[in-house]
Every structure is written in C-alpha cells, then in structure tokens.
Amino acid sequence: MNFEYSETQVMAAQTAKDFAEKYIRPYIMEWDESQHFPVEVFKKAGEFGLMGILVPEVYGGSGLGYHEYIAIIEEISKVDPSIGLSVAAHNSLCTNHILKFGSEEIKQKYLPKLATGEFIGAWGLTEHNTGSDAGGMNTTAVKEGAYYVLNGAKNFITHGISGDVAVVVVRTGEKGDSHGMSAFVIEKGTPGFSSGKKEDKMGMRASETAELIFDNCKIPASHLLGNEGEGFIQSMKILDGGRISIGALSLGIAKGAYNAALQYSKERVQFGKPISKFQAIGFKLAEMTTEIEASELLLHKAAFLINKGVKMTRESAICKMHASEMCVKVANEALQIHGGYGYIKDYPVEKFYRDAKLCTIGEGTTEIQKLVISREVLK
C-alpha cells in the first residue's frame, strides 16, 4: 500500500487551496452572517475544474478520481465548510447521477454545463415527511404519453433555489416499494417547477438549502434517468460516493478546527507559559490528531475501492460515520482549547463548531450508517 500523495493529488489539493484562499477566505463571515449563497464563486470554481471533478474530459470535466476528490473537498472545507458542502453536493449528487445513469443525449446536454460551472446542480430525495424513510415519499410522476407529470415537494435540498438543473427521485409505483421510484432531470424554468422556503440554518449558512415544488410539472420521458423503477437503487449507489464526499468535508472541518486550536494553544499564555505546554491541552491535541488520521485512512480506503469499481457500501458508510462523528468531537475540543474566545465569532472555531453537526445528519444520519454497516456485516 502506498500512503504517499500522487503528483495529481498534490496538484489538485494545491489548486483547491489557492482557490479557497483567494475567492473564499476574505468573505467567510460576510456570507455566513447574511446567509448569502455566492453563485459567482461556483462559476469561478468551474474555471478551476472544481465543478466537474469526477466527470471525464470528453464531457468537459477534470477526469479525476476519488483520492483527488477528497483532497479538493478537504482543502475547501478547511477554509469554509459551507462552500465545501455545496461543491460536494454539486459533484457527488446531481452531476454524478447524470454521469452514471443518464442517456448519452442527457450527458451531452448537461454534463459540460455542470462541469464548467455554467449550471449549478441540485439533487432531491428528501421530503417533509420522509427523511431516513425515503421509500415513503409522496411526490409522484405519472406517465402521460411522451411525458411525465410530477406533483409534490422536496425539502432540505442543496441549491433548491439557485440550481439550474435538478435530479429528483419521485414515486412512479407503490409507496414503500424500492422499485417504485424513478429519477428525472428537470431544468429550472420548466412550467410547474418552482422553489419554496429557504431554510435559516444554524451552520453551513452559505450553502443554500430550500424546497423544490412540483405542480403538474410536465417533463419529457427522455429526461428519465435509466429505466422506470430504478431511481431508488440508483440513489443508493450515488450515496455510496456521496458519503465519501461528506467524509472529506468532515475531514476538512476537523483539520481546520485542529489547526486553529494548535496555533492558538502555542500563542495563548497562562501561568507564564503557552497553554500547549500543559498536559491537559497536549493530550487533547494528541487525541484530535489521532482521530483525524484514522478518518483520513478510512476515507482513502473507500476511495481506493470505488476507483476500482468494486462494491464499497460498507466502507463508504464506515468512513462517513467515523469522519462525521470525529469532526464534531474535534470542533468541540478546538473550541474548548480556545476557552471563552472560542465562543466569539472573531475566531474561526465558532463557525467550525456550528458547521460540523450537519455532517452527522446529511446524506444519511449516523444511525442510518450503523444500519447500513450492520446489514453488510450480517449478510
């Protein structure tokens, strides 16, 4: 096993780091306070090749693998996790779903625009009454000739207002039937397709979260991804890769919070010496760095498997669960090391602390990861 970063990984990480320092860092708290979703930044990210990371070059993408993807999301999330979250959702969910299951016509139509940042992508599975129980969804698609007519709503959708194109999973069969759901591509501006309430969130505030509403929304049957009834199965495969991205997001949050705490502990003097010299603080830093290292190894193991094209449902759930829970712990300890200053918005750990919690919820809660892992173990 080779634990060294490849030249491509190093270059991808440096590109993301340079992008984040120049186009994100100066505006972090401004965007957070106003809950502003900076569309222009994602257009710029497209110029850097960060919006089509996994998309082959033939469709205008960067043609990279998951090791590079982890490095990119990690570097952006060290600076601002909310932007890291949006980059991850755009790449892993909407764009990847079209790449994996779209017809050649659909790929040619949408992937070049998504990969270059001309289009921002949204992905809709969750509904008001169905979070973990996705199979109980109420939004339906009924076939009428050469079209499908959609009715219902999705909520907690990243880029629900600003997204130019959305992949949505809706019911085409019986409720609760894993083969009773289908996935469709819908463009912004389609009659009957609109956005609803924008959520006012505790953290990840520069990443837009809103409703998608369908009111007799008529779309061509050619916008069906794969075959009718395959939507839920497709979604589970997409989430395998998506969980790696949330793990990478978690890793970036943890490293950002850790680095801030390490620096502060060396500068903060109490009882005549830096607090890093006290065993209580030194042990916290030791535990934090160990947890970070473990998550990073789990993430790259999952990346190795998905790059090979082998089933890695167990490994993706393990790395997502460990990394997301880890980043909450690390952010909490980083704030504790800062003491009262950690509770002040002048210091970055306050925001890392708020942003971290989403990682244990989005793209499958910790409890759902345990369910996935236990099922795989008991097979």
Side-chain angles (χ1 to χ4, degrees):
M1 296 176 73
N2 184 359
F3 291 97
E4 291 182 343
Y5 262 31
S6 69
E7 185 179 344
T8 310
Q9 283 174 265
V10 172
M11 288 176 61
Q14 190 61 51
T15 298
K17 183 177 181 179
D18 293 344
F19 172 79
E21 290 296 332
K22 184 173 181 179
Y23 296 103
I24 300 173
R25 189 176 293 283
Y27 312 103
I28 295 171
M29 293 313 294
E30 176 187 330
W31 295 341
D32 184 73
E33 293 287 344
S34 63
Q35 203 165 194
H36 172 65
F37 178 64
V39 173
E40 67 285 354
V41 169
F42 296 95
K43 304 293 185 185
K44 181 62 70 173
E47 296 176 20
F48 280 72
L50 305 176
M51 298 295 273
I53 300 166
L54 303 168
V55 176
E57 292 179 28
V58 68
Y59 297 116
S62 298
L64 299 174
Y66 274 85
H67 293 298
E68 292 82 9
Y69 186 32
I70 290 169
I72 289 167
I73 298 301
E74 175 192 327
E75 287 297 335
I76 294 173
S77 303
K78 281 181 190 175
V79 176
D80 189 343
S82 58
I83 304 302
L85 172 62
S86 276
V87 172
H90 170 92
N91 277 279
S92 283
L93 302 179
C94 177
T95 305
N96 203 36
H97 202 139
I98 292 172
L99 174 64
K100 296 294 184 189
F101 300 106
S103 65
E104 189 58 33
E105 179 188 355
I106 289 292
K107 289 178 186 177
Q108 294 282 359
K109 184 175 182 180
Y110 291 113
L111 288 179
K113 292 181 178 181
L114 288 163
T116 57
E118 181 183 344
F119 274 12
I120 292 174
W123 191 77
L125 180 65
T126 301
E127 297 184 5
H128 296 79
N129 63 311
T130 58
S132 298
D133 180 20
M137 65 177 59
N138 289 322
T139 302
T140 58
V142 177
K143 193 169 187 187
E144 294 184 1
Y147 294 86
Y148 281 88
V149 179
L150 277 62
N151 281 286
K154 298 286 178 181
N155 79 326
F156 296 151
I157 307 304
T158 305
H159 314 147
I161 296 169
S162 299
D164 300 284
V165 61
V167 171
V168 295
V169 182
V170 299
R171 190 158 56 81
T172 49
E174 294 300 316
K175 187 180 286 192
D177 179 5
S178 62
H179 295 281
M181 291 161 275
S182 304
F184 297 88
V185 181
I186 309 178
E187 238 181 282
K188 191 176 188 177
T190 302
F193 177 38
S194 61
S195 302
K197 176 190 175 187
K198 179 178 177 177
E199 303 296 345
D200 187 3
K201 307 193 301 289
M202 175 178 80
M204 301 292 192
R205 290 171 60 81
S207 179
E208 179 184 272
T209 306
E211 292 176 308
L212 297 178
I213 299 170
F214 310 97
D215 182 9
N216 290 318
C217 177
K218 192 176 180 181
I219 59 172
S222 61
H223 282 222
L224 173 69
L225 294 175
N227 298 313
E228 187 174 304
E230 294 178 348
F232 185 76
I233 308 303
Q234 292 173 5
S235 297
M236 295 304 102
K237 292 177 180 176
I238 293 301
L239 286 171
D240 278 349
R243 284 165 182 159
I244 293 177
S245 73
I246 297 299
L249 170 65
S250 303
L251 184 64
I253 292 172
K255 286 189 176 183
Y258 170 80
N259 289 339
L262 179 62
Q263 181 181 341
Y264 181 84
S265 73
K266 292 177 178 178
E267 296 170 353
R268 173 69 165 170
V269 174
Q270 293 286 274
F271 305 102
K273 58 183 176 181
I275 62 172
S276 59
K277 298 294 184 182
F278 292 98
Q279 190 181 72
I281 302 301
F283 278 16
K284 283 184 186 296
L285 293 168
E287 290 173 0
M288 291 158 77
T289 197
T290 302
E291 289 289 322
I292 289 169
E293 187 90 0
S295 283
E296 190 160 19
L297 291 170
L298 287 170
L299 275 164
H300 283 288
K301 179 183 179 183
F304 171 76
L305 293 173
I306 199 169
N307 280 346
K308 285 180 66 178
V310 301
K311 188 174 185 288
M312 36 67 75
T313 299
R314 172 179 170 272
E315 287 77 12
S316 71
I318 288 172
C319 76
K320 194 273 186 185
M321 182 177 78
H322 189 277
S324 62
E325 291 291 338
M326 174 277 297
C327 85
V328 172
K329 293 174 188 173
V330 168
N332 181 59
E333 290 288 45
L335 195 152
Q336 192 71 16
I337 287 170
H338 279 71
Y341 289 107
Y343 211 66
I344 306 299
K345 289 181 182 287
D346 292 343
Y347 290 79
V349 292
E350 178 271 342
K351 184 175 182 298
F352 284 125
Y353 183 81
R354 285 188 288 111
D355 288 345
K357 188 56 192 170
L358 184 276
C359 297
T360 68
I361 300 168
E363 295 195 35
T365 62
T366 294
E367 291 72 25
I368 286 294
Q369 305 314 315
K370 290 179 180 178
L371 183 64
V372 170
I373 296 163
S374 63
R375 283 176 175 172
E376 291 294 316
V377 167
L378 295 169
K379 273 184 178 177

